[in-house]
Amino acid sequence: MSIAKNKARDSMFNWIGPLVSSKTFFYKLKTNKKLTMNSLSDAKNYSLGVIRGDIYESLVNKIGFSADNNLLTFGEEQQYMSLFFNKRIDLILGSEFTINSKLKP
């Protein structure tokens, strides 16, 4: 679990400083041969699962994902991870720090 700083959260915490900084990546199943991406805009051609209200939801909304099109939001991470592993969702998001915890049963 991580906490990301953004404008909406700025006044909610006393931010001391960053502990780590990382990049966010789209992940697909290695067995999903139909999915190919060469640019960020290509990602919008596929379904993505995120936690409702999470920082990732606001990030993908800014680049064009929408709930009525290609974005599925869930109350818990395990809900969309189950669909991802069963090939019902094409993509998930994570950083090199968060992806391992998402992959644990």
Side-chain angles (χ1 to χ4, degrees):
M1 173 67 72
S2 62
I3 297 175
K5 183 178 180 182
N6 63 20
K7 288 181 184 182
R9 294 179 176 168
D10 198 36
S11 64
M12 297 171 67
F13 301 95
N14 289 324
W15 299 93
I16 296 171
L19 294 175
V20 295
S21 181
S22 67
K23 294 180 181 179
T24 299
F25 299 94
F26 287 98
Y27 291 89
K28 72 170 189 124
L29 290 176
K30 196 174 195 176
T31 58
N32 189 345
K33 304 297 183 191
K34 71 175 180 125
L35 195 154
T36 58
M37 291 182 3
N38 295 311
S39 68
L40 186 57
S41 64
D42 289 343
K44 294 183 285 186
N45 295 321
Y46 303 100
S47 60
L48 172 67
V50 297
I51 294 177
R52 192 176 306 106
D54 189 79
I55 185 70
Y56 290 142
E57 182 182 16
S58 62
L59 290 173
V60 297
N61 281 331
K62 289 180 184 177
I63 62 170
F65 280 86
S66 62
D68 57 348
N69 185 23
N70 51 6
L71 181 63
L72 296 113
T73 60
F74 299 88
E76 296 179 7
E77 190 171 274
Q78 199 54 32
Q79 292 172 312
Y80 74 82
M81 290 302 294
S82 175
L83 292 174
F84 176 68
F85 285 122
N86 287 302
K87 301 178 182 179
R88 303 290 305 263
I89 294 175
D90 297 316
L91 299 168
I92 58 170
L93 287 171
S95 72
E96 63 262 20
F97 299 116
T98 63
I99 194 62
N100 286 332
S101 67
K102 290 181 183 214
L103 298 176
K104 290 181 183 176

